[in-house]
Amino acid sequence: MAASSRSLSYVVPAVPHSCGTRLRWAMAPPAFVPLATAAGACALHGVGVRGQARHQCQLPGRLSFAAPAGVPRPARRPTAAAAATPRMAVASSSDAPAAASDSSAAGGVTLDRVVCKFGGSSLANAERLREVTKLVKMQLDASAKPPIVVLSAMGPSTNELLSAGDRALTEGVVDMTSIRNRAYEACEELGLSTEDLVDPLLLNLDQLLLGVKFIKELSPRTMDYLVSFGERLSVRIFAAHLRQNEGLPARAVDAFDAGFRSNSTFTNAELCDVTEAQVASFFATSMPADAVAIVTGFIAKDEDGNITTLGRGGSDLTASTIGAALGVTEVQVWKDVDGILSTDPRIVKAAVPVPSVMFEEAAEMAYFGAKVLHPIAMMPAMRANIPVRVKNSYNPSHPGTVIVRDRAVEADNPVTAISVKRGVQLVDIVSTRMLGAYGFLAEVFKLFATHRVSVDMIATSEVSVSLTLEAAKQDSRVMDALAADLRQVARVSFSSDHAIVSLVANVKRSSDVLARSMHVLNEAGIEVQMISQGASKYNISMIVADAKATRAIELIHKAFFGV
Ligand code: ADP
Ligand code: ASP
Ligand code: MG
């Protein structure tokens, strides 16, 4: 069916889809059902259709939509230039956010508003900043309101800041060359003067490192102040570039000035409930409607005005918090991979992108070691039911992964993704006669609570319990005290060097998942020391020796994904 002269043409990444779906105007109709992953761009021809449309699919090339008689032309027509550019697919879930539906109800093809977050790898240098500029401009064109852009520190700046602090403390050396050079090189290549832009911050940083050197102290509070320079530098440079080189009304915003409040758990602070209301009020009252806010990810301030950080990778949480506060159409997190992959690509090079996952599945993955998302980053978006799209800034036409409340269809593959958490400690606790089965578990868990030690996985029998702890997080004095208390009621043994291999899987098909996993592990002589399944609907986890974890992942990945 050819596109009629009344039809509108614009380009979206190839959206996995099937015929027979109902269409609503959004850049990718929300009801599309993922069938397979398709890369590249496909053209979508049509006119604004709300409700049903007869259409023909010619995958992987293009989609054509016939315009039923009398359907009005969408309000906003993409320009020829925009039509030639690969665009973001949006809200391809059955759970399309209200804002997307509203814009379609109004007959427009635009999104209402999005948050775009760019991680360090997307911002490594001036060239990457120029690429990110294209993505921001594309979003400006696609949305009714300007996007809110959240930035991480450029490239490895956070690690460099931490090692600069460490050197000042342990060697008495103040060396911020790499941080200064990255900022200066970016400014120079983008034709920006460093004078008012980055020099004041670099001077503060120098003073801070001198302080660390002479006072010989680097507390978690100081560490947070130290790493905050990374994000504060990147938003200033990028906003200045958008203003000066692109003529856009961009404003650099430190998140704490936009309402981000946290507790004082330095290096891993929790956002206070008041944050979302404050952020909403900031954007309503202190930011002009046409301004493009470039906001620091990762940082907040506590009640006393100290800068805090939200844990490594915390910019994802900043983005999702702003998205929830403003009720945006979607939150985009731009990284250097084609979305959430079936496993860590550093373990299995051929890992495949997962088109769509549910919030709970993404959270399970992050919690069980997938380094792609911050474990609690999804929570605000999940509460507000805002889709989060993980995209690749190096390959923007790829649809990436959309994280939504409900998946439209159950996937054929019972396993969605595999992750690994290393450095796990296993604790075996067997009841002594002093305490019978009755009350045993209560007593054991009371002791873990008293000593504030959190547990990952548990397997129990009537008189024994095995559980896992994250070794890196345990303070040895706390563990000694806990062990002494446990030994009052049980025989206890600790062993280290384990790993949790975690499958985000359809637990309703657990027999299949376990049978296939155990088969390949057994053939390779890899012992499974403990299994946990069922506490969550999405997770099946097994403990193996740390040294065997990589092989275990390779084998299970091959069993379920064929590569
Ligand atoms: P950014 O800092 O740009 O937000 P991150 O570096 O935090 O991005 O996350 C992306 C990286 O996460 C990828 O480069 C990849 O190496 C790693 N990673 C680990 N597990 C996965 C996975 N399952 N899917 C995608 N990426 C993963
Ligand atoms: N820059 C911080 C980090 O490297 C936060 C982030 O990137 O999300 O962890
Ligand atoms: Mg990150």
Side-chain angles (χ1 to χ4, degrees):
M1 199 175 301
S4 77
S5 56
R6 293 176 56 252
S7 74
L8 177 76
S9 165
Y10 65 95
V11 182
V12 295
V15 182
H17 68 287
S18 74
C19 293
T21 52
R22 287 168 69 84
L23 302 181
R24 274 185 300 169
W25 263 112
M27 297 205 57
F32 277 6
V33 181
L35 284 183
T37 310
C42 81
L44 173 64
H45 291 274
V47 298
V49 177
R50 194 172 164 79
Q52 277 180 319
R54 289 187 309 127
H55 63 285
Q56 246 180 18
C57 303
Q58 300 159 20
L59 268 185
R62 63 174 45 200
L63 302 173
S64 302
F65 299 99
V71 173
R73 178 179 285 281
R76 187 167 160 176
R77 186 188 171 120
T79 58
T85 319
R87 288 196 164 199
M88 272 70 70
V90 169
S92 60
S93 95
S94 54
D95 235 346
S101 312
D102 288 345
S103 79
S104 62
V109 295
T110 61
L111 307 167
D112 181 57
R113 186 173 220 182
V114 300
V115 173
C116 317
K117 177 254 156 171
F118 296 94
S121 57
S122 301
L123 306 165
N125 49 40
E127 188 199 330
R128 294 308 309 157
L129 292 179
R130 286 201 191 95
E131 289 302 315
V132 168
T133 305
K134 286 187 202 158
L135 299 173
V136 170
K137 286 170 72 181
M138 203 194 302
Q139 210 54 68
L140 260 171
D141 193 45
S143 315
K145 296 179 193 146
I148 287 117
V149 180
V150 175
L151 300 188
S152 295
M154 293 173 71
S157 301
T158 306
N159 288 343
E160 287 171 355
L161 285 160
L162 285 169
S163 50
D166 193 52
R167 284 194 73 196
L169 179 72
T170 57
E171 299 170 31
V173 174
V174 172
D175 179 3
M176 43 187 274
T177 320
S178 56
I179 298 138
R180 184 187 285 110
N181 284 354
R182 181 168 289 101
Y184 270 35
E185 273 165 24
C187 288
E188 193 180 322
E189 284 183 40
L190 297 170
L192 307 170
S193 154
T194 60
E195 202 177 324
D196 297 326
L197 199 59
V198 296
D199 286 347
L201 280 181
L202 291 172
L203 184 64
N204 284 353
L205 176 60
D206 194 40
Q207 288 162 342
L208 175 66
L209 291 172
L210 278 170
V212 172
K213 170 182 165 170
F214 289 117
I215 300 168
K216 293 191 167 46
E217 202 175 79
L218 182 55
S219 66
R221 183 175 70 172
T222 309
M223 252 174 350
D224 275 1
Y225 180 45
L226 174 67
V227 291
S228 75
F229 283 91
E231 270 69 10
R232 291 190 290 148
L233 283 165
S234 67
V235 295
R236 281 159 178 75
I237 294 170
F238 190 58
H241 160 63
L242 291 186
R243 279 194 306 272
Q244 192 172 309
N245 300 325
E246 303 289 339
L248 293 173
R251 290 197 180 193
V253 178
D254 290 326
F256 40 76
D257 291 335
F260 275 79
R261 287 289 159 276
S262 76
N263 66 12
S264 304
T265 310
F266 295 103
T267 74
N268 209 4
E270 265 175 53
L271 288 175
C272 303
D273 289 344
V274 72
T275 296
E276 281 185 26
Q278 292 186 166
V279 168
S281 152
F282 171 83
F283 280 95
T285 59
S286 309
M287 189 56 59
D290 68 339
V292 184
I294 314 292
V295 187
T296 53
F298 185 45
I299 61 176
K301 269 189 181 173
D302 70 5
E303 285 244 308
D304 301 322
N306 299 303
I307 294 185
T308 58
T309 64
L310 309 178
R312 292 306 301 268
S315 302
D316 294 341
L317 177 59
T318 308
S320 140
T321 302
I322 296 177
L326 302 184
V328 299
T329 315
E330 75 171 14
V331 174
Q332 299 166 354
V333 286
W334 292 84
K335 299 187 178 269
D336 59 351
V337 273
D338 287 338
I340 294 182
L341 305 178
S342 50
T343 194
D344 189 330
R346 291 164 294 191
I347 299 179
V348 178
K349 256 206 178 117
V352 294
V354 182
S356 145
V357 295
M358 287 183 282
F359 284 114
E360 286 96 338
E361 295 175 314
E364 293 275 3
M365 275 186 76
Y367 184 70
F368 283 104
K371 294 278 183 275
V372 62
L373 287 171
H374 184 285
I376 60 165
M378 296 304 103
M379 295 306 161
M382 179 163 108
R383 277 196 302 273
N385 194 20
I386 294 170
V388 175
R389 195 174 290 272
V390 183
K391 298 267 301 174
N392 189 352
S393 72
Y394 292 77
N395 184 18
S397 63
H398 192 285
T401 300
V402 65
I403 309 171
V404 288
R405 188 178 274 176
D406 294 308
R407 229 178 327 185
V409 281
E410 210 165 86
D412 280 347
N413 191 342
V415 175
T416 304
I418 308 163
S419 51
V420 62
K421 195 169 189 173
R422 294 179 180 278
V424 166
Q425 200 170 26
L426 189 59
V427 190
D428 286 312
I429 304 164
V430 183
S431 172
T432 56
R433 278 215 239 132
M434 279 189 314
L435 195 72
Y438 180 79
F440 171 63
L441 289 179
E443 182 67 25
V444 165
F445 286 109
K446 201 172 98 200
L447 292 173
F448 277 89
T450 308
H451 291 279
R452 301 170 68 90
V453 173
S454 81
V455 169
D456 282 340
M457 268 174 70
I458 307 168
T460 64
S461 77
E462 209 176 342
V463 290
S464 75
V465 52
S466 298
L467 42 85
T468 66
L469 312 171
E470 213 172 309
K473 284 196 183 153
Q474 311 310 329
D475 178 322
S476 61
R477 278 167 307 180
V478 173
M479 288 312 292
D480 289 347
L482 170 66
D485 282 354
L486 284 170
R487 288 197 171 107
Q488 303 291 316
V489 296
R491 285 198 310 276
V492 187
S493 63
F494 291 85
S495 56
S496 334
D497 299 329
H498 304 278
I500 301 177
V501 172
S502 213
L503 277 58
V504 168
N506 183 348
V507 169
K508 281 188 266 170
R509 291 170 62 187
S510 61
S511 303
D512 179 19
V513 174
L514 283 169
R516 286 158 74 183
S517 306
M518 293 305 138
H519 176 71
V520 291
L521 294 182
N522 182 41
E523 282 204 324
I526 299 176
E527 287 303 326
V528 174
Q529 296 149 345
M530 183 170 146
I531 296 179
S532 167
Q533 174 236 310
S536 127
K537 280 188 285 180
Y538 311 107
N539 183 289
I540 296 175
S541 291
M542 38 200 114
I543 302 277
V544 298
D546 206 328
K548 302 275 172 79
T550 300
R551 188 71 193 126
I553 296 232
E554 287 168 350
L555 291 168
I556 297 174
H557 193 273
K558 182 133 182 87
F560 289 96
F561 295 92
V563 279

